[in-house]
C-alpha cells in the first residue's frame, strides 16, 4: 500500500512544534509496518539546502497564475524513504518559519502557498509521477487541508484515491478572507457550508475535515473534546457529524532522538537502574547552564514550550512567587508571544538563582531540561496530544499536567489508589486557575520528599511504552479500511 504523507514540517530541518517530530517518526514506523510511504514537502529553504540529489519528476502548470512548478524527488536523509518537494522558490524559498516571515507575521499569500501544496498532492494522486502513485493521501493540519478538496473537484480518472486527514491542532484553522476563494481555482459551489466556507471565510482545516474520507487526531480524549463547543473552534458540529470516521491515535516517542540511555546531551546518560545518579548530574548541569543555585532538596520544575495561550503558562507566572518558596526552582525554555517572553525574562531577573529562563529555540537545552528536571509542567488549556510530557515520562521527570487531551490520556495522577496500585506516573489538575496548579505543585513537592515513592513513580514513568510502532499499527488499520485489498 502506497501512502503519500503530506506535511509542512519535518524534524530536524523544519519544525515549529510537535508536527515536525511526528513527521520524522511516524513514516519510518509505517514503513516498518509494511506501508510504502513517501513524503510530500514544500520546498522550504530548510529542505532545499540539505536534501541530496533532487531529481525532476514533473513540471506542472499551477492553476493559480499559470506558473510552472517543478516537483522533485529526493532520498530522505537518514531514511529508506523518499520525499517529493514542491520546488517553487517564489513561494517557499523564504526566511523565517514555514508560515511567517522573520518578523512573525504570516505571509500574505499563504492561501496560495498552501493551496499549491494541496493541489500538487492531488496531482500526485492523479498520477503526476508515473513511477509511483499513492493509494492513499494522508494530510496533516490546515496546511494540507485543500488536498482532498482539489481531489474531490477533479477525481483521478480511474477511480477515487481515498484521503486521510489528521488534526494536530484544531486551533489553527487556516482561515482566509472569503475574497481569496476565486484565487484558489476550486469550483464555485465549494464555497458553501458543505465545503470550504466557514462563517464567510475560507478555512483550510474545514476543507480537510469535510472532504477527507477518514479523520484522525492525536489522542482519544482530544477526538472526543473537539466534538464539543468548548474545544471545537466552531467546527464541533461538523466533527460530530463525522464522528463515525474520526479516530484518536496517540503519538509516540522517537527513541532515536529521546532516550536517556543514549542521550549525548546528558552529562551522564541513564536508564531505570541508575536514574538517580544520572538525573543528579543532569540537574547540576542544568542549574549551571541557567544560572540556578545548586540546590538539591527541593524539586526543580521544567518547561519546554511554545509560548502561546494554549500552553497555560500564564498560570505558572501567576504561581511563581509561591512556586519558588521552599527552595523550589523553575527552568523554562520557550519562544512565542512577546508578552509571555517578556514576563518570563522579567521573572528570571526577579527570582535570580531560582528561576532560569532561556527565550529561544534550542534542541540541546530542551534535552537538558527534560533530563535535569524533577517535574515537567504542562498546564495546557487544550493539548491535542503533547510530546514533552511523553519525553518527560521516559526521562523520569514526572509530568504535572492539566487533565485535557493527550495529557489526560498519558499521565496517571498520583492518588492514594494509583500509588497503591503502582501505576501513578505524574500529577494532574482540572481547573484553569493558578490555585489548582499550585495545589498540584504542592502535592508533587510533598511526594518528592518521600524518596521511595518518588523513585517508584519514576521507574513506572520511564518504563511506560509510548512507541510509534503502536501508533503506526493503528494508522495502518485506518488505511486498510480504505484500501482493504493489498496493493502491489
Ligand atoms: P506543540 O506541537 O503544541 O508545540 P508538543 O508537545 O507536541 O507541542 O511538541 C513540542 C515540540 O517542540 C517538542 O519536541 C518540544 O521539545 C519542542 N519545543 C518546543 N519549544 C521549544 C524550544 N523553545 N526549544 C526547543 N524545542 C522546543
Ligand atoms: C500539535 C499539538 C500537540 C501535538 C502535536 C503533534 O502541535 O499542539 O499537542 O502533540 O501537534 O501531534
Amino acid at each position: 500500500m502506497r501512502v503519500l504523507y503530506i506535511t509542512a514540517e519535518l524534524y530536524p530541518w523544519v519544525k515549529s512544534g510537535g508536527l515536525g517530530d511526528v513527521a520524522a517518526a511516524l513514516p519510518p514506523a509505517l514503513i516498518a509496518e509494511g506501508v510504502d510511504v513517501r513524503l510530500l514537502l514544500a520546498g522550504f529553504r530548510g529542505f532545499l539546502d540539505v536534501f541530496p540529489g533532487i531529481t525532476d519528476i514533473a513540471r506542472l502548470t499551477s492553476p493559480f497564475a499559470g506558473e510552472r512548478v517543478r516537483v522533485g524527488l529526493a532520498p530522505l536523509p537518514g531514511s529508506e524513504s523518499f520525499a517529493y518537494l514542491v520546488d517553487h522558490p517564489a513561494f517557499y524559498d523564504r526566511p523565517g518559519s514555514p508560515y511567517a516571515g522573520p518578523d512573525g507575521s504570516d505571509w500574505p499569500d499563504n492561501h496560495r502557498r498552501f493551496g499549491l501544496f494541496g493541489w500538487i498532492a492531488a496531482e500526485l494522486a492523479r498520477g503526476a509521477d508515473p513511477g509511483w502513485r499513492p493509494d492513499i493521501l494522508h494530510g496533516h493540519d490546515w496546511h494540507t487541508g485543500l488536498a482532498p478538496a482539489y481531489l474531490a473537484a477533479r477525481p483521478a480518472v480511474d477511480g477515487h484515491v481515498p484521503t486521510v486527514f489528521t488534526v494536530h491542532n484544531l486551533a489553527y484553522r487556516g482561515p482566509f478572507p472569503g475574497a481569496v476563494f476565486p484565487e484558489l481555482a476550486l469550483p464555485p459551489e465549494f464555497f458553501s457550508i458543505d465545503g470550504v466556507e466557514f462563517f464567510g471565510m475560507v478555512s483550510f482545516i474545514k476543507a480537510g475535515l469535510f472532504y477527507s474520507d477518514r479523520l484522525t487526531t492525536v489522542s482519544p480524549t482530544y477526538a472526543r473534546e473537539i466534538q464539543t463547543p468548548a474545544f471545537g473552534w466552531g467546527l464541533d458540529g461538523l466533527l460530530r457529524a463525522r464522528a463515525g470516521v474520526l479516530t484518536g491515535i496517540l503519538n509516540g516517542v522517537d527513541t532515536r532522538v529521546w532516550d536517556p540511555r543514549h542521550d549525548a546531551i546528558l552529562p551522564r546518560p541513564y536508564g531505570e537502574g541508575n536514574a538517580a545518579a544520572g538525573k543528579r548530574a543532569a540537574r547540576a548541569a542544568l542549574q549551571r547552564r541557567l544560572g540556578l543555585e545548586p540546590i538539591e532538596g527541593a524539586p526543580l520544575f521544567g518547561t519546554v514550550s511554545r509560548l502561546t495561550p494554549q500552553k497555560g503558562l500564564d498560570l505558572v507566572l501567576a504561581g511563581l512567587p509561591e512556586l519558588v518558596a521552599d527552595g523550589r526552582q523553575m527552568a523554562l525554555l520557550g519562544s512565542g508571544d512577546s508578552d509571555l517572553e517578556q514576563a518570563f525574562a522579567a521573572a528570571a531577573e526577579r527570582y535570580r538563582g531560582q528561576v532560569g529562563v532561556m527565550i529561544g529555540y534550542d534542541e540541546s537545552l530542551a534535552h537538558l531540561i527534560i533530563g535535569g528536571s524533577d517535574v515537567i509542567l504542562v498546564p495546557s488549556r487544550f493539548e491535542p496530544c503533547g510530546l514533552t510530557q511523553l519525553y518527560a515520562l521516559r526521562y523520569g521527570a514526572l509530568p504535572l499536567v492539566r487533565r485535557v487531551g493527550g495529557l489526560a490520556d498519558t499521565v496517571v495522577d498520583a492518588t492514594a489508589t494509583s500509588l497503591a496500585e503502582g501505576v501513578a506516573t505524574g500529577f494532574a489538575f482540572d481547573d484553569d486557575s493558578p490555585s489548582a496548579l499550585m495545589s498540584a505543585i504542592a502535592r508533587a513537592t510533598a511526594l518528592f520528599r518521600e524518596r521511595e515513592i518518588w523513585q517508584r513513580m519514576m521507574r513506572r514513568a520511564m518504563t511506560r511504552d509510548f512507541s510509534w510502532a503502536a501508533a503506526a499499527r493503528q494508522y495502518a488499520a485506518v488505511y486498510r479500511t480504505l484500501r482493504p485489498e493489498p496493493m502491489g
Side-chain angles (χ1 to χ4, degrees):
M1 174 149 45
R2 290 177 296 264
V3 173
L4 184 68
Y5 188 104
I6 320 160
T7 176
E9 299 186 20
L10 176 62
Y11 170 87
W13 302 287
V14 175
K15 161 172 164 176
S16 71
L19 187 65
D21 292 9
V22 174
L26 177 54
L30 286 166
I31 290 169
E33 273 298 298
V35 183
D36 178 4
V37 184
R38 289 189 179 181
L39 271 60
L40 176 65
L41 307 169
F44 298 125
R45 197 167 282 183
F47 295 132
L48 292 178
D49 291 348
V50 292
F51 278 31
I54 302 175
T55 46
D56 262 27
I57 288 299
R59 281 178 196 268
L60 304 171
T61 303
S62 129
F64 300 161
E67 317 97 318
R68 297 286 285 167
V69 178
R70 182 172 90 113
V71 181
L73 183 69
L76 257 180
S79 144
E80 350 160 7
S81 187
F82 291 86
Y84 293 98
L85 281 135
V86 187
D87 184 16
H88 193 50
F91 273 12
Y92 305 122
D93 189 6
R94 300 179 186 178
S97 86
Y99 324 113
D103 70 352
S105 43
D106 287 350
W107 296 111
D109 56 351
N110 270 352
H111 58 291
R112 270 182 272 124
R113 298 173 73 234
F114 292 102
L116 179 70
F117 190 40
W119 183 83
I120 295 283
E123 286 300 303
L124 285 163
R126 286 192 280 260
D129 176 1
W132 191 92
R133 188 167 158 204
D135 301 309
I136 288 174
L137 292 189
H138 186 173
H140 297 264
D141 269 358
W142 73 264
H143 331 112
T144 67
L146 286 200
Y150 284 118
L151 199 54
R154 200 160 70 83
V157 280
D158 50 356
H160 177 57
V161 177
T163 51
V164 179
F165 184 72
T166 298
V167 176
H168 294 263
N169 197 334
L170 195 64
Y172 299 97
R173 283 161 294 171
F176 297 97
V180 309
F181 179 76
E183 291 178 48
L184 296 173
L186 283 165
E189 65 274 17
F190 279 38
F191 191 63
S192 83
I193 188 160
D194 288 326
V196 307
E197 188 265 347
F198 182 66
F199 295 105
M201 316 267 292
V202 171
S203 163
F204 276 37
I205 210 164
K206 187 184 168 204
L209 298 176
F210 184 82
Y211 288 104
S212 300
D213 296 290
R214 291 283 182 283
L215 306 176
T216 76
T217 187
V218 286
S219 69
T221 293
Y222 194 61
R224 288 190 298 276
E225 287 171 343
I226 55 178
Q227 297 177 47
T228 68
F231 292 91
W233 299 93
L235 291 159
D236 45 294
L238 173 56
L239 285 159
R240 282 195 299 279
R242 304 220 61 201
V245 297
L246 168 65
T247 322
I249 302 175
L250 270 182
N251 288 333
V253 173
D254 189 342
T255 51
R256 298 167 306 176
V257 184
W258 292 97
D259 182 353
R261 287 169 305 176
H262 307 285
D263 190 330
I265 290 153
L266 299 179
R268 195 172 158 175
Y270 57 87
E272 302 97 72
N274 56 350
K279 285 200 75 70
R280 210 175 310 118
R283 160 208 270 264
L286 175 60
Q287 286 169 326
R288 275 195 304 279
R289 174 95 181 258
L290 290 182
L292 294 169
E293 286 162 24
I295 297 171
E296 281 218 8
L300 195 164
F301 295 83
T303 290
V304 177
S305 185
R306 291 184 295 114
L307 299 179
T308 66
Q310 170 188 348
K311 301 295 179 178
L313 294 167
D314 48 304
L315 303 181
V316 174
L317 277 171
L320 265 186
E322 202 179 326
L323 192 153
V324 299
D326 267 351
R328 287 181 292 214
Q329 295 178 318
M330 167 89 207
L332 175 127
L333 166 65
S335 63
D337 295 359
S338 60
D339 52 340
L340 287 167
E341 289 187 351
Q342 282 160 21
F344 275 108
E349 282 293 311
R350 174 148 186 213
Y351 302 108
R352 204 182 279 262
Q354 284 186 285
V355 175
V357 169
M358 180 67 78
I359 300 299
Y361 189 89
D362 185 332
E363 290 282 344
S364 70
L365 182 56
H367 282 245
L368 194 57
I369 290 182
I370 306 260
S373 301
D374 300 298
V375 176
I376 290 294
L377 297 179
V378 196
S380 308
R381 300 214 151 75
F382 62 94
E383 196 60 75
C385 178
L387 291 171
T388 56
Q389 87 281 7
L390 297 182
Y391 304 155
L393 286 167
R394 195 166 180 88
Y395 279 64
L398 303 184
L400 189 157
V401 303
R402 182 127 184 261
R403 200 180 275 109
V404 289
L407 301 172
D409 291 339
T410 55
V411 176
V412 180
D413 186 30
T415 60
T417 315
S418 67
L419 285 168
E421 289 170 356
V423 296
T425 56
F427 307 91
F429 67 98
D430 288 298
D431 289 355
D432 183 2
S433 73
S435 63
L437 168 70
M438 285 317 300
S439 73
I441 285 180
R443 286 199 290 129
T445 306
L447 271 192
F448 179 77
R449 302 205 159 107
E450 310 264 351
R451 294 312 293 165
E452 258 179 48
I453 299 180
W454 191 269
Q455 265 156 27
R456 210 176 316 131
M457 284 178 74
M458 272 175 58
R459 273 195 299 278
R460 172 76 182 176
M462 292 177 77
T463 50
R464 288 303 312 275
D465 179 22
F466 291 106
S467 72
W468 273 111
R473 277 194 292 278
Q474 296 174 68
Y475 282 103
V478 171
Y479 298 155
R480 278 195 295 272
T481 64
L482 295 165
R483 288 284 198 193
E485 295 302 318
M487 305 288 289

